[in-house]
């Protein structure tokens, strides 16, 4: 089946079997291997991508269902020599050991900061209607869909907290 | 994954006409298809349909079937008027999954019973008549209420528990264009002898929305107990709406997750509370009623005392009575 995706701002056409996940479409058909395949069952978050600005598990998405969608991957956030604030902060705070979960962590954190800035509450927010604090408890809860088997969580948390202002924390986006 | 035909429905008529398995968020269905627990011949992608609105109607809030779990949890009306629903949604899954998972799909998700997922094991739900290994096996997360000698699976949704407590109704459209509205107790079936049949949804029918009645009086809460602090299914959860007037419980609505094959609600539990002055003894009586027919299967026996404690804690919080 022929489909077109906008990947990191570029129109890409590809021909895929309907069974192909969005993750496999990018990794195997477009040679974009930044997004990682961990569990392939939506449990680890290594495959996290932004689709139309929202973070999703790309392993639990069929490429054919995303015809025309805008996809952002780790490759779209920054590149060697021009890293994004989150990418720089992960280096600075040693937010990884083996690094396999890192692309998913960073893409997920990017979206998490936007969700937070739009006033979305989380399970640990005391008040559903008030703007929550960007606390460690909030970061941990909101990032619980990204596992790190090396357990680099203290560095991940510190990196996200450090980079958040530069990534637009509390700059409310216009509603869709 | 087994091959399938893919059909993208451009209109509701397309979706109702096509003969196949409906897919929206796909967060559960694709997982099951990868494991070949589900092997549909045809997938009907309904994500292009116009079912993404949350609209205030006379006496109700209409939630389109394609509203994502994330959008529903963050909706300002839901946060203000139906906090039990917002809390339940936020207690479920991860942010990534909530962005993809839909309202209709959440209702239709399958049990997380490990034997249902393991195609090398017998399972009456997956392959009717083959037996149930869960009853004498790993049943820590499985049901203590509403089970049958064929199946002890639990319904895994948090969202549906809150909706059950809020008296939500499911809007279903048939291929002939007729619409019916069902409460969740009418929508979900108990396993009985046919655990493979989980809802009354007929082939060709489509969930188009969920309706919430006027916001109930009183305080609302969702309490979930699980094996880790985030991103895990409920061992026991309670969605509660309690109204206290003049020192007495004027109204009570309680639904439970992790206990049964559907979001569990028992009117007798609520009757045991209404008209009473909140106290530890009254809460215990309500728990007695809820758990009168509870049956453990070994590894899930702990759910019986745990349910009592969680229920009492929620009732204490909402009535201001210390235990």
């Amino acid at each position: 089946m022929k489909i077109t995706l906008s990947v990191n701002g570029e129109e890409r056409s590809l021909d895929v079997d309907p069974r192909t996940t969005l993750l496999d479409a990018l990794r195997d058909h477009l040679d974009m291997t930044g997004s990682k395949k961990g569990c392939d069952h939506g449990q680890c978050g290594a495959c996290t991508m932004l689709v139309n600005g929202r973070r999703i598990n790309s392993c639990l998405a069929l490429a054919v269902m995303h015809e025309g969608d805008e996809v952002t991957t780790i490759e779209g956030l920054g590149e060697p020599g021009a890293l994004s604030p989150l990418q720089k902060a992960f280096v600075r705070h040693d937010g990884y050991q083996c690094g396999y979960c890192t692309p998913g962590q960073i893409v997920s954190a990017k979206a998490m900061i936007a969700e937070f800035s739009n006033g979305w509450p989380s399970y640990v927010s005391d008040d559903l209607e008030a703007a929550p604090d960007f606390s460690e408890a909030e970061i941990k809860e909101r990032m619980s869909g990204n596992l790190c088997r090396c357990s680099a969580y203290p560095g991940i948390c510190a990196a996200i907290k450090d980079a958040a202002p530069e990534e637009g924390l509390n700059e409310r986006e216009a509603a869709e | 994954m087994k091959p399938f035909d893919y059909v993208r429905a451009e209109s509701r008529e397309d979706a109702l006409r096509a003969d196949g398995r409906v897919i929206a968020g796909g967060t559960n269905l694709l997982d099951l298809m990868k494991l070949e627990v589900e092997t549909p011949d045809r997938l009907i992608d309904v994500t292009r349909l116009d079912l993404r609105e949350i609209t205030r109607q006379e006496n109700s809030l209409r939630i389109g079937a394609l509203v994502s779990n994330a959008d529903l949890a963050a909706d300002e009306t839901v946060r203000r008027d139906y906090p039990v629903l917002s809390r339940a949604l936020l207690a479920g899954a991860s942010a990534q999954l909530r962005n993809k998972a839909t309202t209709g799909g959440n209702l239709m998700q399958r049990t997380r019973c490990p034997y249902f997922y393991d195609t090398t094991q017998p399972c009456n739900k997956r392959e009717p008549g083959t037996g149930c290994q869960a009853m004498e096996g790993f049943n820590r997360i499985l049901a203590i209420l509403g089970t049958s000698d064929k199946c002890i699976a639990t319904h895994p949704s948090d969202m549906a528990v809150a909706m059950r407590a809020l008296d939500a109704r499911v809007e279903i459209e048939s291929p002939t264009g007729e619409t019916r509205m069902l409460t969740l107790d009418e929508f979900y079936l108990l396993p009985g002898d046919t655990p493979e049949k989980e809802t009354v949804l007929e082939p060709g029918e489509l969930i188009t929305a969920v309706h919430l009645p006027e916001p109930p009086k009183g305080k609302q809460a969702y309490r979930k107990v699980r094996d880790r602090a985030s991103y895990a299914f409920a061992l026991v959860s309670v969605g509660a709406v309690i109204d206290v007037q003049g020192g007495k419980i004027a109204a009570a609505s309680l639904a439970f997750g992790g206990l049964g094959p559907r979001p569990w609600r028992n009117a007798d539990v609520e009757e045991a509370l209404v008209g009473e002055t909140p106290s530890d003894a009254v809460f215990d009586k309500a728990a007695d009623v809820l758990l009168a027919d509870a049956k453990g299967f070994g590894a899930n026996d702990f759910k019986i005392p745990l349910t009592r404690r969680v229920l009492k804690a929620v009732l204490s919080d909402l009535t201001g009575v210390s235990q």
Side-chain angles (χ1 to χ4, degrees), chain B residues 232-281:
Chain B
F233 289 97
L235 294 168
V236 175
S237 72
V238 183
V241 186
I242 303 285
D243 186 31
V244 178
Q245 297 288 341
K248 290 193 188 303
I249 298 171
S253 176
L254 295 161
F256 300 84
L259 302 189
R262 64 182 178 200
W264 199 256
R265 189 166 168 187
N266 179 342
D268 294 341
V269 177
E270 297 162 15
E271 266 177 45
L273 291 166
V274 172
E276 301 290 337
T277 303
S279 72
D280 200 50

Side-chain angles (χ1 to χ4, degrees), chain A residues 1 19 40-43 48 54-55 57 59-60 64-67 108 119 123 125-126 128 141 144 146, chain B residues 1 4 6 8 24 27 30-31 34 45 48 71 79 87 91 94-97 99-100 226 230-231:
Chain A
M1 231 183 132
R19 288 172 288 181
D40 208 25
H41 287 280
Q43 298 173 3
T48 303
R54 294 286 185 86
R55 52 175 164 164
N57 300 110
C59 74
L60 288 185
V64 291
M65 290 178 69
H66 289 282
E67 163 68 26
S108 186
Y123 179 70
S125 306
D126 288 333
L128 286 177
E141 165 58 25
S144 72
N146 292 84
Chain B
M1 202 187 291
F4 54 84
Y6 170 77
R8 187 179 295 139
T27 53
L30 288 175
D31 190 21
K34 286 183 180 190
D45 172 4
R48 313 273 154 161
D71 282 338
R79 280 150 70 180
R87 292 269 179 210
S94 68
Q96 287 96 319
L97 291 168
N99 273 330
K100 198 101 171 47
R226 45 187 157 174
S230 184
Y231 201 9

Side-chain angles (χ1 to χ4, degrees), chain A:
Chain A
M1 231 183 132
K2 288 194 167 59
I3 57 164
T4 304
L5 303 170
S6 166
V7 183
N8 299 327
E10 206 179 309
E11 292 285 310
R12 305 292 299 263
S13 294
L14 53 167
D15 195 355
V16 295
D17 183 291
R19 288 172 288 181
T20 312
T21 62
L22 184 59
L23 176 64
D24 288 343
L26 265 67
R27 286 182 58 88
D28 299 343
H29 292 254
L30 300 179
D31 294 328
M32 297 180 69
T33 53
S35 307
K36 303 303 181 197
K37 186 185 279 197
C39 68
D40 208 25
H41 287 280
Q43 298 173 3
C44 76
C47 67
T48 303
M49 294 180 190
L50 307 184
V51 172
N52 302 330
R54 294 286 185 86
R55 52 175 164 164
I56 67 160
N57 300 110
S58 62
C59 74
L60 288 185
L62 292 176
V64 291
M65 290 178 69
H66 289 282
E67 163 68 26
D69 282 353
E70 288 181 15
V71 180
T72 305
T73 67
I74 188 70
E75 291 96 334
L77 297 188
E79 52 189 53
L83 297 180
S84 74
L86 268 166
Q87 288 170 315
K88 284 185 199 163
F90 268 68
V91 174
R92 205 158 54 237
H93 290 277
D94 208 14
Y96 41 74
Q97 185 171 307
C98 80
Y100 199 76
C101 73
T102 313
Q105 297 278 1
I106 291 175
V107 173
S108 186
K110 173 93 184 158
M112 184 271 280
I113 292 165
E115 291 162 8
F116 190 94
S117 304
N118 283 327
W120 289 17
S122 86
Y123 179 70
V124 299
S125 306
D126 288 333
D127 186 340
L128 286 177
E129 295 180 73
D133 289 333
F134 199 65
S135 64
E136 196 162 308
E138 285 282 358
I139 294 171
K140 284 180 176 171
E141 165 58 25
R142 289 164 191 263
M143 291 296 293
S144 72
N146 292 84
L147 308 187
C148 171
R149 288 203 64 185
C150 309
S151 209
Y153 297 112
I156 292 169
C157 232
I160 292 171
K161 205 160 188 186
D162 194 7
E166 267 187 282
E167 292 281 0
L169 180 69
N170 295 331
E171 288 169 21
R172 206 176 167 94
E173 287 173 8
E176 284 171 38

Side-chain angles (χ1 to χ4, degrees), chain B:
Chain B
M1 202 187 291
K2 293 264 200 279
F4 54 84
D5 292 334
Y6 170 77
V7 179
R8 187 179 295 139
E10 301 291 348
S11 68
R12 216 180 287 191
E13 291 68 37
D14 273 3
L16 292 165
R17 232 186 350 251
D19 178 21
R21 192 86 154 83
V22 168
I23 186 167
T27 53
N28 185 214
L29 182 54
L30 288 175
D31 190 21
L32 291 166
M33 287 170 64
K34 286 183 180 190
L35 297 166
E36 299 189 358
V37 173
E38 296 257 24
T39 54
D41 293 326
R42 177 179 293 150
L43 280 188
I44 305 158
D45 172 4
V46 296
T47 55
R48 313 273 154 161
L49 304 188
D50 184 21
L51 296 170
R52 287 189 190 277
E53 299 291 314
I54 300 174
T55 42
R56 194 185 277 280
Q57 298 189 324
E58 206 180 327
N59 306 324
S60 76
L61 190 72
R62 183 179 186 276
I63 302 159
L66 291 174
V67 173
S68 74
N69 289 179
D71 282 338
L72 186 55
D75 181 79
E76 289 183 6
T77 304
V78 174
R79 280 150 70 180
R80 186 187 63 231
D81 296 339
Y82 306 97
V84 62
L85 178 55
S86 203
R87 292 269 179 210
L89 285 158
L90 294 170
S94 68
Q96 287 96 319
L97 291 168
R98 291 192 294 269
N99 273 330
K100 198 101 171 47
T102 64
T103 303
N106 189 314
L107 292 176
M108 292 301 290
Q109 67 178 307
R110 311 296 302 274
T111 184
R112 271 22 177 231
C113 175
Y115 298 92
F116 176 70
Y117 267 70
D118 183 350
T119 54
T120 67
Q121 298 282 335
C123 169
N124 285 327
K125 190 183 278 298
R126 181 167 30 77
E127 283 180 73
T130 55
C132 173
Q133 293 286 312
M135 290 183 194
E136 291 176 1
F138 295 96
N139 52 45
R140 179 176 172 76
I141 65 166
L142 301 177
I144 56 170
L145 289 168
T147 58
S148 74
D149 60 1
K150 298 287 190 296
C151 185
I152 61 170
T154 40
H155 194 270
S157 174
D158 290 294
M159 180 195 82
V161 173
M163 286 180 171
R164 186 69 198 97
L166 290 167
D167 291 315
R169 289 190 304 161
V170 187
E171 180 190 294
I172 298 166
E173 197 168 316
S174 76
T176 53
E178 286 147 22
T179 298
R180 55 179 181 151
M181 302 273 281
L182 301 175
T183 67
L184 291 187
D185 273 8
E186 293 164 344
F187 180 72
Y188 288 114
L189 296 167
L190 292 177
D193 289 331
T194 53
E196 72 279 8
K197 192 154 172 51
E198 295 170 355
T199 72
V200 298
L201 208 61
E202 296 289 338
E205 283 188 319
L206 187 67
I207 298 175
T208 44
V210 172
H211 292 249
L212 300 181
E214 289 284 291
K217 282 185 187 160
K219 289 187 186 171
Q220 303 179 23
Y222 190 74
R223 180 102 173 230
K224 178 174 178 178
V225 178
R226 45 187 157 174
D227 276 328
R228 56 185 186 198
S230 184
Y231 201 9
F233 289 97
L235 294 168
V236 175
S237 72
V238 183
V241 186
I242 303 285
D243 186 31
V244 178
Q245 297 288 341
K248 290 193 188 303
I249 298 171
S253 176
L254 295 161
F256 300 84
L259 302 189
R262 64 182 178 200
W264 199 256
R265 189 166 168 187
N266 179 342
D268 294 341
V269 177
E270 297 162 15
E271 266 177 45
L273 291 166
V274 172
E276 301 290 337
T277 303
S279 72
D280 200 50
V282 166
F283 301 161
D284 258 320
K285 202 178 97 191
D288 288 343
V289 175
L290 173 68
L291 296 165
D293 297 326
K295 183 183 170 195
F297 294 85
N300 69 350
D301 289 349
F302 74 97
K303 283 190 177 185
I304 298 172
L306 178 62
T307 301
R308 177 179 298 271
R309 289 200 300 276
V310 177
L311 172 59
K312 288 177 68 178
V314 168
L315 292 172
S316 298
D317 284 350
L318 292 182
T319 58
V321 170
S322 57
Q323 284 186 68

